[in-house]
Amino acid sequence: MSRDENDAVSFHLPSWLADYATSYRTDWSDDERMLFVIEASRRNVVQGTGGPFAAGVFEIGSRRLISLGVNLVTTEKLSILHAEMVAFILAQRTLQTYDLGGAGMASHELFTSSEPCAMCFGAIPWSGVRCVVCAARASDAMAIGFDEGPKMVEWCEELKRRGIDTVRDVQRDAAREVFSDYARLGGRIYNSREAT
Ligand SMILES: [Zn+2]
């Protein structure tokens, strides 16, 4: 390991992602917004660019899309690159802030095609988003072999205590279909070493 190799760290976004993001419209309903995110997860599977998960950060009120992330764990060989983490990284770089709920800023929300795992749950309060909207349940991801890691059972209540709302089951069936496709196509399943 040379020191030069660690002067900067980067990862690559799939080449299709930016074009796809331009199809977003701010007048869509919450269901339509979630379907837009889920379609990104489906394309990630079809294009072979990562796992069956996607997430987006939106400005609350204007519904402006700040960032769209997909799971890049296997393709970029980085365990932290869950869709929610990618969405947070891109949003914070775009807005040039480590706190998406900083003073004087618009509020932001996260739409995710699957409920957050332990890592992404932990990242939510740090990110500064004020609301998390989820499609598939963690149990849906677990049904094809993923696991959510050591996450507290009362995670929604914990977020609420920190002033962050949670909305669940928005277009859950559509997100589950992508999981089924991924499993059928033999997509790689990795996990957090859940005790057996
Ligand atoms: Zn995660």
Side-chain angles (χ1 to χ4, degrees), residues 1-142:
M1 185 176 82
S2 81
R3 182 155 172 76
D4 287 347
E5 288 172 351
N6 290 291
D7 283 349
V9 176
S10 62
F11 61 91
H12 301 92
L13 300 172
S15 56
W16 56 267
L17 187 62
D19 272 352
Y20 174 67
T22 63
S23 68
Y24 174 72
R25 289 175 46 178
T26 54
D27 61 351
W28 279 344
S29 67
D30 286 355
D31 280 303
E32 289 170 322
R33 268 200 290 178
M34 185 59 88
L35 288 173
F36 164 77
V37 170
I38 292 168
E39 173 61 18
S41 75
R42 192 189 69 78
R43 290 183 185 216
N44 206 36
V45 171
V46 171
Q47 299 283 339
T49 45
F53 308 100
V57 171
F58 300 86
E59 188 178 277
I60 294 175
S62 74
R63 296 171 169 250
R64 186 163 69 98
L65 175 66
I66 307 299
S67 68
L68 180 63
V70 290
N71 177 291
L72 299 170
V73 170
T74 56
T75 43
E76 287 298 307
K77 302 177 179 62
L78 286 170
S79 63
I80 67 165
L81 293 187
H82 290 192
E84 301 96 316
M85 303 295 280
V86 173
F88 287 149
I89 290 168
L90 297 176
Q92 292 171 355
R93 278 296 160 97
T94 297
L95 299 179
Q96 286 293 296
T97 177
Y98 55 82
D99 184 357
L100 299 170
M105 289 181 61
S107 298
H108 294 90
E109 59 191 346
L110 177 76
F111 274 55
T112 176
S113 68
S114 185
E115 288 177 350
C117 71
M119 172 177 67
C120 298
F121 163 72
I124 287 167
W126 298 114
S127 75
V129 294
R130 305 319 308 172
C131 182
V132 179
V133 184
C134 311
R137 294 238 169 180
S139 57
D140 300 328
M142 292 165 75

Side-chain angles (χ1 to χ4, degrees), residues 131-191:
C131 182
V132 179
V133 184
C134 311
R137 294 238 169 180
S139 57
D140 300 328
M142 292 165 75
I144 62 165
F146 287 105
D147 78 85
E148 64 176 350
K151 191 172 74 174
M152 60 176 64
V153 174
E154 304 290 309
W155 63 279
C156 292
E157 289 75 8
E158 181 60 32
L159 291 179
K160 187 71 183 170
R161 274 192 287 276
R162 293 168 184 270
I164 303 166
D165 294 323
T166 307
V167 182
R168 306 170 84 178
D169 299 334
V170 177
Q171 294 294 332
R172 180 183 179 184
D173 287 345
R176 275 197 297 209
E177 269 180 38
V178 179
F179 292 173
S180 299
D181 290 348
Y182 187 73
R184 197 179 64 248
L185 291 168
R188 194 182 307 177
I189 305 292
Y190 54 86
N191 60 48

